């Protein structure tokens, strides 16, 4: 008879003695917890953009019923977005070895023949394709986004958002079917008969526990070389997997993370020169135009706040000083509770040239049109002559090079 063991469709092709229900179940249970946390923190990150407030904030306008959970993003605690997005990105990178090990442990099933033995089996195989394909898509696009490498077609926001729902739907269905079996396999701790167990295993070179230790060690290494970017400050030096390709912020009071430079945004010194730049503030009673010198004559306030971005990085708390947004709202007729505000930048291209802030964000006494940071004027790359800084808001909503503020219901 012809020997088919050289073909991946043959059980004899897969000869590792490590594959089996126990190893697959342990890895699956780890992913069950980790991916659930990632999905929840990913949805929380989307809510932080306040996409229901205005179209300029909504990068997924066709979300439909998928936006059922959205809520007004709070300003307390100030580290809220740093924490939730830091968990999302750091956990995602940490789980990469676990995901790859899980796929390796079940790869023989991807080649089993016939592809569908029944309608139920065909549906299960389709769900597995969605699960594996969706998982790889989400992890790959997430890592590329962290590294600021947008080599995939289209915008990251809708691709990652819709992909997450497809992947998680398949994940929930798979977990509902397999979790009882996985728990039973982990409790028994012995190799049961399974299509994952090789009929002709090779001699083991490492135990199953040793293999788990290798996977865990890889995850720990990725965690230690990633988590520093979410903590900011001196810990950032340990974040070897922090976003690459951004400008060196240098030293001094403005020497902290820069994600988008003035050159990238198309903002020139001529745009921000004191003779040319004016802040246009519009509201109930009309429009006022303020030079930087006039802004400096308004009451100045300070706040210690971090900047945290969707890529998972965060600065340490910086000391910002400028005019409160609620005071600027009062200049155009909103003496009581201020309304929402549309912020427009001098930035010439790219997403979030405009951003909307909710009334609760405007009303917070720590929400500033910042003119200084750490006792020094803002540098061009940090938004000179003025930028927004709001507690707990995603970095892209802390608009730099502010040109116009329009207060009112959006």
């Amino acid at each position: 008879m012809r020997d088919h063991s050289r073909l991946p469709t043959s059980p004899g092709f897969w000869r590792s003695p490590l594959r089996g229900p126990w190893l697959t179940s342990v890895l699956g249970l780890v992913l069950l917890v980790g991916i659930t946390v990632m999905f929840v923190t990913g949805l929380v990150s989307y809510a932080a953009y306040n996409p229901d407030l205005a179209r300029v904030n909504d990068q997924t306008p066709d979300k439909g019923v998928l936006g059922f959970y959205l809520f007004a993003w709070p300003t307390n605690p100030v580290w809220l977005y740093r924490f939730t997005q830091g968990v999302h990105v750091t956990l995602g990178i940490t789980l990469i070895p676990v995901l790859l090990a899980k796929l390796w442990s079940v790869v023989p099933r991807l080649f089993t023949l016939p592809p569908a033995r029944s309608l139920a089996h065909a549906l299960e195989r389709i769900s597995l394709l969605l699960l594996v394909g969706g998982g790889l898509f989400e992890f790959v696009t997430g890592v590329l986004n962290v590294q600021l490498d947008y080599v995939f077609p289209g915008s990251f926001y809708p691709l990652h958002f819709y992909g997450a729902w497809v992947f998680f739907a398949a994940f929930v269905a798979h977990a509902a079917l397999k979790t009882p079996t996985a728990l039973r396999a982990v409790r028994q701790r012995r190799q049961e008969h399974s299509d994952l167990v090789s009929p002709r295993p090779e001699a083991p070179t490492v135990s199953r526990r040793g293999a788990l230790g290798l996977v865990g060690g890889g995850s720990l290494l990725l965690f230690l070389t990633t988590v520093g970017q979410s903590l900011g400050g001196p810990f950032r030096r340990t974040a070897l997997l922090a976003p690459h390709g951004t400008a060196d912020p240098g030293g001094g009071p403005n020497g902290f993370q820069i994600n988008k430079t003035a050159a990238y945004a198309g903002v020139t010194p001529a745009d921000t020169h004191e003779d040319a730049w004016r802040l246009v503030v519009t509201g109930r009673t009309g429009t006022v135009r303020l030079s930087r010198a006039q802004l400096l004559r308004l009451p100045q306030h300070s706040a210690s706040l971090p900047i945290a971005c969707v890529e998972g990085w965060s600065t340490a708390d910086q000391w910002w000083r400028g005019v409160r947004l609620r005071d600027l709202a009062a200049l155009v007729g909103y003496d009581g509770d201020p309304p929402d505000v549309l912020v427009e930048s001098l930035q010439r291209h790219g997403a979030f040239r405009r951003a909307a802030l909710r009334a609760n964000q405007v009303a917070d006494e720590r929400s500033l049109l910042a003119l200084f940071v750490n006792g020094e004027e803002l540098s061009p790359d940090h938004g000179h002559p003025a930028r927004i800084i709001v507690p707990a808001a995603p970095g892209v909503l802390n608009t730099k090079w502010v040109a116009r503020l329009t207060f009112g219901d959006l």
Side-chain angles (χ1 to χ4, degrees), residues 180-198:
T181 303
L183 291 172
R184 184 169 60 252
V186 170
R187 285 194 298 265
Q188 291 178 349
R189 296 188 180 183
R190 60 186 178 84
Q191 195 81 299
E192 294 182 337
H193 175 73
S194 167
D195 58 342
L196 295 176
V197 178
S198 175

Side-chain angles (χ1 to χ4, degrees), residues 15 84 101 134 164 171 194 224 248 257 295 355 361 363 385:
R15 302 190 61 190
T84 58
F171 180 77
S194 167
L224 293 176
D248 182 1
Q257 174 73 7
L295 285 169
Q361 294 173 309

Side-chain angles (χ1 to χ4, degrees), residues 240-312:
L240 302 180
L241 296 181
H244 296 164
T246 52
D248 182 1
N254 279 274
F256 55 94
Q257 174 73 7
I258 297 168
N259 205 29
K260 185 187 300 176
T261 65
Y264 170 85
V267 178
T268 67
D271 297 322
T272 59
H273 191 274
E274 60 182 8
D275 293 334
W277 180 83
R278 295 293 184 271
L279 174 69
V280 180
V281 184
T282 301
R284 179 187 294 156
T285 57
T287 298
V288 296
R289 289 173 171 81
L290 301 168
S291 66
R292 199 170 190 278
Q294 289 172 313
L295 285 169
L296 290 172
R297 287 196 289 270
L298 295 175
Q300 303 291 299
H301 298 269
S302 299
S304 181
L305 299 172
I307 297 176
C309 277
V310 69
E311 295 90 3

Side-chain angles (χ1 to χ4, degrees), residues 334-373:
Y334 299 99
D335 295 322
D337 292 334
D340 309 328
V341 64
L342 176 65
V343 185
E344 298 178 72
S345 172
L346 294 172
Q347 180 180 337
R348 302 191 191 284
H349 56 82
F352 296 102
R353 298 186 300 276
R354 300 186 297 163
L357 299 173
R358 287 194 182 274
N360 68 302
Q361 294 173 309
V362 177
D364 194 293
E365 294 187 352
R366 297 162 297 180
S367 296
L368 303 175
L369 179 74
L371 307 174
F372 299 90
V373 63

Side-chain angles (χ1 to χ4, degrees), residues 165-254:
W165 280 103
V166 172
F167 167 59
F168 197 71
F171 180 77
V172 169
H174 185 75
L177 292 172
K178 298 297 184 181
T179 298
T181 303
L183 291 172
R184 184 169 60 252
V186 170
R187 285 194 298 265
Q188 291 178 349
R189 296 188 180 183
R190 60 186 178 84
Q191 195 81 299
E192 294 182 337
H193 175 73
S194 167
D195 58 342
L196 295 176
V197 178
S198 175
R200 298 190 305 159
E202 294 178 337
T205 57
V206 65
S207 67
R208 287 180 295 168
R209 293 185 184 277
L212 283 180
L214 182 63
V215 173
S219 290
L220 179 61
L221 179 63
L222 289 177
F223 173 81
L224 293 176
T225 53
T226 302
V227 69
Q229 71 169 357
S230 301
L231 301 176
F235 298 102
R236 184 168 172 77
R237 298 175 184 175
T238 68
L240 302 180
L241 296 181
H244 296 164
T246 52
D248 182 1
N254 279 274

Side-chain angles (χ1 to χ4, degrees), residues 6-155:
R6 294 183 179 180
L7 299 177
T9 53
S10 169
F13 179 85
W14 309 99
R15 302 190 61 190
S16 172
L18 299 180
R19 286 193 181 91
W22 186 85
L23 180 64
T24 297
S25 298
V26 171
L27 296 171
L29 292 174
V30 172
L31 289 174
L32 175 64
V33 176
I35 288 176
T36 301
V37 172
M38 286 181 59
F39 183 71
V40 172
T41 53
L43 294 185
V44 166
S45 175
Y46 183 58
Y49 283 73
N50 286 319
D52 275 353
L53 175 60
R55 292 188 64 183
V56 296
N57 287 11
D58 192 357
Q59 300 297 302
T60 55
D62 298 323
K63 61 185 179 297
V65 296
L66 298 181
F68 68 92
Y69 68 94
L70 295 175
F71 55 94
W73 187 250
T75 56
N76 283 303
V78 297
W79 44 261
L80 180 60
Y81 191 73
R82 170 200 279 181
F83 174 75
T84 58
Q85 192 61 13
V87 168
H88 182 76
V89 172
T90 302
L91 181 59
I93 292 176
T94 301
L95 286 178
I96 288 175
V98 183
L99 176 68
L100 295 177
K102 168 71 172 178
L103 294 177
W104 173 87
S105 73
V106 298
V107 70
R109 286 180 176 164
L110 300 180
F111 293 91
T112 56
L113 294 177
R117 295 188 296 269
S118 64
L119 178 60
H121 185 241
L123 292 175
E124 181 183 357
R125 295 296 294 272
I126 292 172
S127 70
L128 284 177
L129 287 177
L130 292 175
L131 180 68
V132 174
L136 291 175
F137 178 83
E138 287 298 290
F139 275 82
V140 169
T141 55
V143 170
L144 289 173
N145 180 64
V146 169
Q147 298 299 327
L148 307 178
D149 291 329
Y150 300 109
V151 297
F152 41 82
S155 170

